[in-house]
Amino acid sequence: MAKDKKNKQQLKNPKGTRDWSGEDVALLKDILRQISTVFRKHGGQELDTPVFELQEVLKGKYGEDSKLIYDVADQGGELLSLRYDLTVPFARWLAMNPNSDTDNRFAIGKVYRRDQPAIAKGRMREFWQCDIDFNGPSDPMAVDSEILAIVCEVFDALEWKGQYTIKINDRRILDGLFEVCGVPTDKLRAISSAVDKLDKSPWSEVRKEMVETKGLDPDVADRIEKYVTMKGGKGDSQTASALLETLKADDQLMSNPKAKEGITSFEKLMSYLEAWKTLDQISFDLSLARGLDYYTGIIYEVITEGSRPTNLPLNGTKKSDEEKKDTKKAKNIADEDEDRSNDPTIGVGSIAAGGRYDNLVSRFSEKSEIPCVGVSFGVDRIFSITKSRLSQGQKFTYVTSTSTDVFVMAFGGKDFDGALKERYSVIKALGDAGISAKTMHKEKAKLPAQFKKADSKGARIGVILGEDEIRNGQVKVKIMGLTDDSDPRKEGILIPRGDLVKEVSGMLRELDGGEVEGVAKQMEGLGVDAGTRQKVTLTEEQRKEIIEKLSKGETVEVGGVQIS
C-alpha cells in the first residue's frame, strides 16, 4: 500500500502554464477575434511560424532576457529552442524571403519564456501573443504612427477606451542622453536595461544596480536621473509637446547626433498621431527603455490598471516599512518557479509593447536590410484584466460566446415525460437562426434545477414548455433576471410556437440595445412612440443617454426617428 502511494503520479500543470477550457476559451476567442479584425482592416496578412527555432536564430537577440529562452534537449539532431516572441521568427522569415511582396503581416500564437510566473496576473511561461508588423522602406515615422493608431483601435475594439496609456520613447533619444551623461559605449545596453526597471522599482534601487552591479560612475548615474524622470502626456503634469520643447531647448542634448535625430523624428510622429486622433493616449516617458537588444528607434508599451506593482510608491523614491517588508519577503522566496500571483512586488506589466527594429533582419542575412516596426499584444494579460472586469459587472458587447442566449426548460405533472424531444426541436429551430440555446440533457428534471442551470449558463431568455403549452402549440418566453414587475415578460408571456424565433430574436436585440425598436420596447410605459422604426446601431453609452432623456420626458432623435 505504501509503495503504491509513493509511486502515485502527481497530476499538475507545468509551472507557468494553464489549461484553457469552457468559458475561458470562449472569452479568449472573442478577444483574438477583435484584435485580428483590426489587423485585417489595416491590410495585415497572416503568418504562422514553428513554435521552435534553431538556437542560433534566437540567441543574442534579446539582451539580458536571453537567459529566459527555453532550450530543447539535444536528441542527436539540430539544437533548438522554443520561440521567445513572434518578432525574431518574423525577421528570420523575411531574411529567407527577401523578395516577398508582403509589407504588413500579423501573427497569433503561443510563445515561451522561463520567467517568474504570476498566473492570476497573466504572467505566464507559455502565453499567447498577437503581433502586427510593417516591413520595408517608409518615410520617418509614417508606418510607426499607423502602428500606434492600430494599438488604439485594438483597445477601442476591446472596449477599453480611456482605460489605457501608451508610453513612448525613442532608443536614439535614450542612447543620446546616456552618451551626454557620460555612459561608456560598452555599457549602453546594460544601463538601458536597468533604467527600464523604473516602472517596477524606485530610482534608488535602479541607481544602486547601475553603480554597484554594472559599474557605472555614481556622478554619471546622478546626471541620468535628471532625464529619466521626465514625462509628458496622458496622466502627467505636462503635455508631451511641452516635454519635447524642453528637450529641444537642451543645447547639450541637441548637440548629440543620436538624440537630435530622435527628437526631430518624435516631433514628426506627434504631428501624425494628431491626424490619427491618438495623441491623447500618449505619454512621452524618457524612462521607457525596453530591454530587448534589437530596437533601433521608436519604442512603446501599453499599461493599464494592474500593470504597476501594488507596493511601488507613487513618487518612485522611498518605500514605507510595510512595502520594504513585502519586497524582502518576495526576494526571500526560495523557489523562483513558484506562482507569485499574490506578490505585491509583481504587477501585470505591459499589455502590449513594440518598436522599430531596422537591423534585425540583416543579422540573419547581410544582403537583407529590411527596416521593420511592430507591436505585440500580451493576450493572457488582456484576458486576465477583461475577465476581472467582467466579474465586477462590466459589460463588453463583443463578449457574446461566454453565455447562452436561451435556455429551454420543461415542466409538468406526475406523468409528464419531460418533453426532451420537443426541447431539442426548439433548440434546433433557434440554432438555425443563429441563436445559442441549451437545455438539460435529462428527460425529467425539477424546474428549480433547470432555472439554476440556466443561471449558471448566463442565459438571457428562458423558453418554457408545459403540458398545456405543448398541447396548444404554444411556448412561454421570459426575460431572465428582469426586475420590472410591470413587464409581463418577467414571469413569461405565451406566444404561438411558430413565432418563437421572431420573438426571441427581437428580445435579444432589445437586450443588446442595438435598434431603435429595442429602445422603444424598453421605454414602454414612458410614453415612447418609435414611429418609423429604422435600424440604428447604438453604443451602450448612447443607449443609456437615450433612456435618461426619455425618462425626463425629453424627445430624442435617433437615425432620423423622433422618440418621445
Side-chain angles (χ1 to χ4, degrees):
M1 185 72 178
K3 184 177 180 181
D4 291 341
K5 185 176 181 180
K6 181 179 179 181
N7 294 330
K8 187 176 181 181
Q9 181 181 5
Q10 181 184 8
L11 293 177
K12 60 187 287 293
N13 289 86
K15 289 174 180 177
T17 68
R18 57 161 296 175
D19 295 317
W20 291 88
S21 63
E23 292 184 355
D24 284 353
V25 174
L27 178 56
L28 173 66
K29 289 184 176 180
D30 286 336
I31 291 171
L32 294 176
R33 183 181 65 250
Q34 294 299 100
I35 296 174
S36 61
T37 297
V38 174
F39 287 174
R40 288 190 173 91
K41 188 178 78 171
H42 284 265
Q45 299 180 39
E46 192 163 6
L47 172 69
D48 185 31
T49 60
V51 297
F52 48 80
E53 296 275 352
L54 293 174
Q55 283 186 13
E56 62 189 47
V57 167
L58 302 183
K59 300 296 183 178
K61 309 301 190 300
Y62 302 106
E64 293 183 2
D65 285 349
S66 291
K67 64 182 181 291
L68 303 179
I69 293 174
Y70 271 109
D71 292 332
V72 179
D74 181 6
Q75 299 182 36
E78 299 169 317
L79 295 178
L80 305 173
S81 297
L82 295 178
R83 63 186 178 195
Y84 180 90
D85 63 9
L86 298 175
T87 305
V88 170
F90 171 56
R92 186 265 305 156
W93 180 85
L94 278 177
M96 293 175 61
N97 299 273
N99 298 319
S100 169
D101 60 359
T102 300
D103 60 4
N104 178 358
R105 87 86 173 89
F106 75 91
I108 299 174
K110 289 183 177 181
V111 298
Y112 303 84
R113 298 181 187 178
R114 199 184 184 287
D115 207 349
Q116 199 154 31
I119 293 175
K121 297 176 181 178
R123 299 174 70 96
M124 314 288 289
R125 289 182 167 179
E126 177 192 64
F127 55 96
W128 287 90
Q129 276 193 345
C130 291
D131 284 22
I132 185 165
D133 297 77
F134 287 78
N135 59 278
S138 63
D139 286 341
M141 295 299 178
V143 292
D144 307 69
S145 68
E146 184 170 356
I147 282 283
L148 291 168
I150 289 171
V151 171
C152 290
E153 288 180 29
V154 164
F155 284 108
D156 286 351
L158 294 173
E159 298 175 15
W160 286 31
K161 197 171 184 66
Q163 295 179 292
Y164 65 93
T165 299
I166 306 174
K167 294 168 62 176
I168 299 183
N169 198 5
D170 195 297
R171 270 286 176 83
R172 294 165 295 183
I173 298 175
L174 199 61
D175 286 351
L177 73 84
F178 285 157
E179 290 178 0
V180 165
C181 291
V183 177
T185 302
D186 63 346
K187 292 185 183 294
L188 285 177
R189 290 283 69 84
I191 298 306
S192 177
S193 178
V195 167
D196 197 45
K197 297 173 183 175
L198 277 171
D199 63 335
K200 309 177 187 72
S201 305
W203 168 253
S204 59
E205 291 185 10
V206 171
R207 183 186 185 279
K208 183 177 180 181
E209 178 182 337
M210 290 193 295
V211 174
E212 297 183 11
T213 305
K214 298 184 174 176
L216 189 66
D217 187 292
D219 291 338
V220 174
D222 292 338
R223 287 195 287 272
I224 291 174
E225 181 184 10
K226 166 193 169 184
Y227 289 106
V228 298
T229 54
M230 290 182 175
K231 299 178 182 181
K234 183 178 179 181
D236 303 318
S237 59
Q238 62 177 330
T239 64
S241 298
L243 175 54
L244 190 64
E245 291 302 317
T246 299
L247 297 180
K248 287 167 61 179
D250 188 323
D251 293 337
Q252 189 178 14
L253 194 60
M254 292 299 288
S255 67
N256 180 279
K258 292 179 183 177
K260 183 177 181 179
E261 182 183 8
I263 291 169
T264 303
S265 297
F266 205 94
E267 189 170 26
K268 183 166 288 188
L269 175 68
M270 290 181 62
S271 172
Y272 294 155
L273 293 180
E274 188 174 8
W276 285 108
K277 299 186 185 302
T278 59
L279 200 54
D280 58 342
Q281 299 299 329
I282 301 301
S283 171
F284 184 8
D285 187 341
L286 290 182
S287 72
L288 179 64
R290 303 288 300 144
L292 302 181
D293 272 1
Y294 51 64
Y295 291 124
T296 57
I298 189 76
I299 49 177
Y300 32 81
E301 67 179 26
V302 184
I303 59 171
T304 187
E305 89 273 6
S307 290
R308 183 176 174 274
T310 57
N311 80 323
L312 181 63
L314 289 173
N315 60 18
T317 58
K318 188 177 180 181
K319 292 184 178 181
S320 68
D321 291 338
E322 193 63 33
E323 289 165 342
K324 289 178 181 177
K325 191 182 299 181
D326 286 336
T327 303
K328 185 176 180 180
K329 180 181 177 182
K331 288 182 177 179
N332 285 338
I333 293 178
D335 188 354
E336 67 176 11
D337 292 340
E338 286 303 315
D339 181 13
R340 296 176 67 178
S341 295
N342 297 320
D343 185 344
T345 67
I346 294 180
V348 171
S350 61
I351 51 177
R356 176 161 286 278
Y357 52 103
D358 286 344
N359 303 325
L360 184 56
V361 179
S362 62
R363 291 198 197 182
F364 299 111
S365 173
E366 293 181 0
K367 297 180 181 179
S368 302
E369 294 186 3
I370 304 175
C372 299
V373 62
V375 64
S376 298
F377 293 86
V379 179
D380 292 70
R381 298 178 182 186
I382 292 170
F383 169 88
S384 294
I385 294 171
T386 303
K387 187 174 181 179
S388 174
R389 291 176 180 174
L390 283 167
S391 69
Q392 295 167 19
Q394 189 169 340
K395 303 295 183 183
F396 299 92
T397 60
Y398 66 90
V399 180
T400 57
S401 53
T402 57
S403 62
T404 302
D405 291 328
V406 178
F407 197 87
V408 183
M409 296 170 271
F411 74 99
K414 182 179 179 181
D415 298 325
F416 184 55
D417 66 2
L420 186 57
K421 179 180 178 180
E422 287 80 2
R423 282 184 274 154
Y424 284 159
S425 178
V426 168
I427 290 173
K428 170 64 175 171
L430 292 171
D432 288 345
I435 298 170
S436 170
K438 293 185 180 298
T439 189
M440 288 186 72
H441 296 290
K442 294 183 67 174
E443 289 189 351
K444 293 184 179 182
K446 294 181 179 180
L447 195 58
Q450 296 181 71
F451 272 104
K452 185 177 180 180
K453 191 72 171 179
D455 185 60
S456 71
K457 293 294 182 182
R460 298 187 288 169
I461 293 174
V463 171
I464 304 171
L465 302 173
E467 292 177 285
D468 291 340
E469 287 82 0
I470 293 172
R471 189 180 304 112
N472 296 326
Q474 296 176 311
V475 293
K476 181 176 282 189
V477 182
K478 72 186 290 337
I479 294 179
M480 306 291 286
L482 197 62
T483 57
D484 184 0
D485 292 333
S486 65
D487 192 326
R489 295 169 301 176
K490 179 180 179 181
E491 299 300 328
I493 57 174
L494 285 173
I495 62 170
R497 172 73 176 269
D499 293 342
L500 176 63
V501 171
K502 178 182 176 182
E503 188 69 27
V504 168
S505 296
M507 287 184 179
L508 289 172
R509 286 198 300 270
E510 176 183 344
L511 292 173
D512 289 335
E515 291 190 346
V516 171
E517 179 177 2
V519 175
K521 284 184 179 180
Q522 282 196 336
M523 293 302 101
E524 282 178 4
L526 295 176
V528 178
D529 180 9
T532 303
R533 290 171 175 174
Q534 174 186 348
K535 283 190 175 182
V536 176
T537 300
L538 301 173
T539 66
E540 183 65 18
E541 289 181 359
Q542 289 172 323
R543 189 183 68 80
K544 289 179 179 177
E545 182 181 357
I546 290 170
I547 293 173
E548 182 179 354
K549 287 183 177 180
L550 289 171
S551 66
K552 295 177 181 178
E554 299 177 21
T555 298
V556 180
E557 181 175 321
V558 183
V561 179
Q562 296 287 330
I563 304 177
S564 61

